[in-house]
Amino acid sequence: MNAPAAAQIVSCWSCKGPVATRALFCSVCGAVQGPGNIDHFSRLGIPPSFDLDLDALQHQYFGFQKRLHPDRFASKSPKEKALSQSQATSLNEAYETLKDPLKRAAYLLNHLGHPVDLTACGTINDRELLMEQMEKREALAEASTPEEIAKLAMAAESEVIACQCHISAAINAADLEEAGHLTIRLKYLAKLAEEARAKKTRALRLPS
């Protein structure tokens, strides 16, 4: 699958004037534009990177969505209403992808020409990763006290953060092969951390 292109200049559907594919509105006539086939980073107006400022990302996203609020289009034509909804949907997809470290890593690697298919990783082909996950899951399954479970949950969260740091370092060093391997590892670590949090919550609810 080819990655969407960066922003380009196209013609406004309304006045035919020049408008950037990432623009929400035409600067000439003010008409809302449809979402162009551009990458998530360009759509949200930020440079491609794994190391995102999440507060800035959120600020950018909500700023765009505010400009596309349905109340602003109540008196507009059906086409403009439909285009504004399409823009809002595309912005939401971009935001949901980039705010999540695992989805962001996979998306960025695909954007850089080194795709990682997270949906096809039901079987772990990496023997070292397989053994690591088996041992961690066995330890979590055998943990019976809230203290034991909390300790494993904390360790899992720490490993998730460490793995994210290693992905950042690998991408910044242009070692995309290593970044891809780490992204798959992050998938399993994040799943384990989620299960550990759930077990910890259940354990704390049980009467002592």
Side-chain angles (χ1 to χ4, degrees), residues 5 7 21-24 36 38-48 52-54 56-65 68 87-100 104 107:
T21 47
R22 66 169 291 262
L24 300 181
I38 57 176
D39 65 81
H40 291 338
F41 297 100
S42 296
R43 191 174 304 287
L44 287 167
I46 56 177
L52 296 185
D53 181 337
L54 295 183
L57 177 69
Q58 185 183 60
H59 178 79
Q60 191 86 328
Y61 168 69
F62 283 111
F64 285 151
Q65 288 291 21
L68 295 168
Q87 278 281 15
T89 299
S90 295
L91 283 167
N92 188 60
E93 180 184 354
Y95 177 66
E96 292 296 325
T97 299
L98 298 187
K99 76 174 184 179
D100 182 275
R104 181 167 70 248
Y107 185 83

Side-chain angles (χ1 to χ4, degrees), residues 100-120:
D100 182 275
L102 178 59
K103 293 179 182 177
R104 181 167 70 248
Y107 185 83
L108 179 58
L109 286 170
N110 182 60
H111 182 72
L112 296 173
H114 191 88
V116 175
D117 185 3
L118 296 178
T119 63

Side-chain angles (χ1 to χ4, degrees), residues 7-153:
Q8 298 175 335
I9 300 297
V10 296
S11 296
C12 168
W13 64 270
S14 179
C15 72
K16 310 306 179 187
V19 61
T21 47
R22 66 169 291 262
L24 300 181
F25 300 92
C26 174
S27 61
V28 178
C29 68
V32 66
Q33 302 297 299
N37 182 28
I38 57 176
D39 65 81
H40 291 338
F41 297 100
S42 296
R43 191 174 304 287
L44 287 167
I46 56 177
S49 174
F50 182 73
D51 305 315
L52 296 185
D53 181 337
L54 295 183
D55 289 337
L57 177 69
Q58 185 183 60
H59 178 79
Q60 191 86 328
Y61 168 69
F62 283 111
F64 285 151
Q65 288 291 21
K66 186 177 180 180
R67 298 180 67 193
L68 295 168
H69 194 281
D71 288 350
R72 292 176 177 265
F73 295 87
S75 61
K76 299 293 185 181
S77 68
K79 179 170 183 174
E80 288 174 288
K81 290 178 181 177
L83 289 175
S84 68
Q85 291 174 356
S86 295
Q87 278 281 15
T89 299
S90 295
L91 283 167
N92 188 60
E93 180 184 354
Y95 177 66
E96 292 296 325
T97 299
L98 298 187
K99 76 174 184 179
D100 182 275
L102 178 59
K103 293 179 182 177
R104 181 167 70 248
Y107 185 83
L108 179 58
L109 286 170
N110 182 60
H111 182 72
L112 296 173
H114 191 88
V116 175
D117 185 3
L118 296 178
T119 63
C121 296
T123 301
I124 305 178
N125 295 321
D126 185 323
R127 182 169 177 78
E128 183 178 346
L129 178 59
L130 174 63
M131 295 303 295
E132 175 195 37
Q133 290 302 306
M134 288 179 63
E135 291 173 1
K136 292 181 185 302
R137 289 185 174 282
E138 185 176 342
L140 181 60
E142 292 177 350
S144 56
T145 68
E147 292 76 16
E148 290 175 333
I149 299 168
K151 185 177 179 180
L152 291 171

